[in-house]
């Protein structure tokens, strides 16, 4: 009987050690992103993902002591893909809006920048009022806060929606549309590039909180608030330890975190 007790004691210790080792092993998270929204996330020709979202995601994963794998997904199907468990979280400049909060949960914001409107450099437009834009064709990426904004605040214009930002950029550079609406950072970085030399920022647009939301957050499946909270804590940590500032400075000359 004594031998059996020692055997079971040894077996219990081994099992506990195995469990502890497993618990201490790095957790893996699969991160979904679009890969077509520079400078925030962009899939390069060699298959490398780059951008502010990607660097922030890597910093958050390091802070959370988990390994992260990235998966790209078309924007208009990215929430259904999350719900179908193709990945564990979305880090893709997704604004925290009331409409999206019905489908997913979010971390607190990791940046917040306003929308803007861009036009060709020779455009006769001088202001972004509904009256001035009446009858104009305005491009925006579909299923985004920016397309929703255009449809609400530019209702007298013809709103043309595109699967990706690259496609509306191509159309405005070729004179097929009169203006485009997107995040001010995305448009500002684009007009600095050779591809965006056609155009200029007409003006920033007033934030509509109901549409533009509370900034960009990290989306997780509904009910997975513990994971969202871990991301929120990691965002606060990299803001405090300087890592966020380091990444921010790599892409922008101002703090995109916002108020």
């Amino acid at each position: 009987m004594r031998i059996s007790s020692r055997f079971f004691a040894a077996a219990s210790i081994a099992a506990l050690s195995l469990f502890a080792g497993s618990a201490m092993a790095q957790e893996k998270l699969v991160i979904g992103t679009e890969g077509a929204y520079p400078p925030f996330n962009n899939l390069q020709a060699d298959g490398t993902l780059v951008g502010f979202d990607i660097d922030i995601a890597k910093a958050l994963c390091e802070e959370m002591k988990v390994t992260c794998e990235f998966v790209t997904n078309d924007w208009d199907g990215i929430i259904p893909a999350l719900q179908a468990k193709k990945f564990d979280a979305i880090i893709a400049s997704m604004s925290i809006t009331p409409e999206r909060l019905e489908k997913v949960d979010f971390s607190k914001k990791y940046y917040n920048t306003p929308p803007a409107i861009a036009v060709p450099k020779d455009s006769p437009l001088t202001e972004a009022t509904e009256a001035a834009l009446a009858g104009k064709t305005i491009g925006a990426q579909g299923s985004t806060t920016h397309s929703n904004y255009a449809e609400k605040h530019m209702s007298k214009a013809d709103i043309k929606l595109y699967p990706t930002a690259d496609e509306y950029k191509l159309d405005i550079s070729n004179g097929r549309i009169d203006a485009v609406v997107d995040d001010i950072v995305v448009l500002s970085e684009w007009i600095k590039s050779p591809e965006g030399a056609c155009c200029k920022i007409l003006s920033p647009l007033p934030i509509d909180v109901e549409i533009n939301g509370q900034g960009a957050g990290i989306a997780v499946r509904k009910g997975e608030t513990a994971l969202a909270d871990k991301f929120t804590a990691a965002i606060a940590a990299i803001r405090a330890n300087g890592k966020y500032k380091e990444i921010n400075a790599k892409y922008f000359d101002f703090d995109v975190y916002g108020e």
Side-chain angles (χ1 to χ4, degrees):
M1 179 65 98
R2 186 176 297 171
I3 294 173
S4 297
S5 297
R6 287 176 178 173
F7 172 78
F8 285 120
S12 298
I13 292 168
L16 285 170
S17 298
L18 182 63
F19 175 79
S22 175
M24 291 173 64
Q26 279 195 323
E27 181 185 355
K28 177 183 173 183
L29 291 175
V30 181
I31 306 296
T33 194
E34 183 187 12
Y37 198 57
F40 291 103
N41 60 79
N42 194 41
L43 185 62
Q44 297 186 308
D46 64 358
T48 304
L49 274 167
V50 297
F52 179 78
D53 287 337
I54 308 305
D55 287 357
I56 288 292
K58 290 176 179 177
L60 295 177
C61 290
E62 182 178 352
E63 181 65 32
M64 293 162 64
K65 295 180 172 54
V66 297
T67 58
C68 281
E69 172 187 321
F70 291 90
V71 175
T72 57
N73 200 97
D74 289 345
W75 179 257
D76 59 2
I78 204 165
I79 287 179
L82 173 67
Q83 294 169 327
K85 299 187 177 182
K86 292 184 179 178
F87 31 83
D88 302 301
I90 298 170
I91 303 182
S93 293
M94 181 171 282
S95 297
I96 307 163
T97 66
E99 181 182 2
R100 289 178 181 145
L101 281 166
E102 294 177 2
K103 301 173 183 176
V104 296
D105 286 330
F106 280 95
S107 70
K108 297 296 185 183
K109 70 169 185 177
Y110 64 96
Y111 82 86
N112 191 13
T113 50
I117 185 167
V119 297
K121 286 180 176 176
D122 59 358
S123 172
L125 288 168
T126 58
E127 57 183 10
T129 62
E130 188 166 11
L133 296 170
K136 303 297 183 184
T137 302
I138 300 174
Q141 184 176 2
S143 302
T144 65
T145 56
H146 306 297
S147 62
N148 294 340
Y149 189 101
E151 288 170 339
K152 177 180 177 180
H153 295 286
M154 303 168 186
S155 60
K156 295 180 181 178
D158 176 21
I159 309 301
K160 187 173 182 181
L161 304 183
Y162 296 82
T164 69
D166 286 342
E167 289 164 281
Y168 79 58
K169 291 173 184 176
L170 186 62
D171 266 10
I172 194 171
S173 65
N174 288 325
R176 299 189 189 108
I177 55 179
D178 301 300
V180 295
V181 175
D182 208 327
D183 183 274
I184 193 168
V185 173
V186 170
L187 294 175
S188 297
E189 293 300 307
W190 171 61
I191 64 172
K192 293 175 188 175
S193 70
E195 294 78 14
C198 61
C199 300
K200 64 182 180 181
I201 301 290
L202 179 61
S203 71
L205 296 168
I207 290 177
D208 181 332
V209 176
E210 185 177 340
I211 291 176
N212 299 118
Q214 309 159 34
I218 298 164
V220 300
R221 282 181 287 277
K222 203 72 182 165
E224 296 188 357
T225 53
L227 179 57
D229 290 345
K230 286 180 181 179
F231 276 118
T232 294
I235 292 165
I238 66 170
R239 287 284 294 171
N241 66 22
K243 187 62 179 179
Y244 186 101
K245 184 177 181 180
E246 177 187 326
I247 295 169
N248 189 102
K250 179 179 173 182
Y251 295 94
F252 315 116
D253 56 7
F254 65 99
D255 186 359
V256 295
Y257 187 77
E259 297 298 327

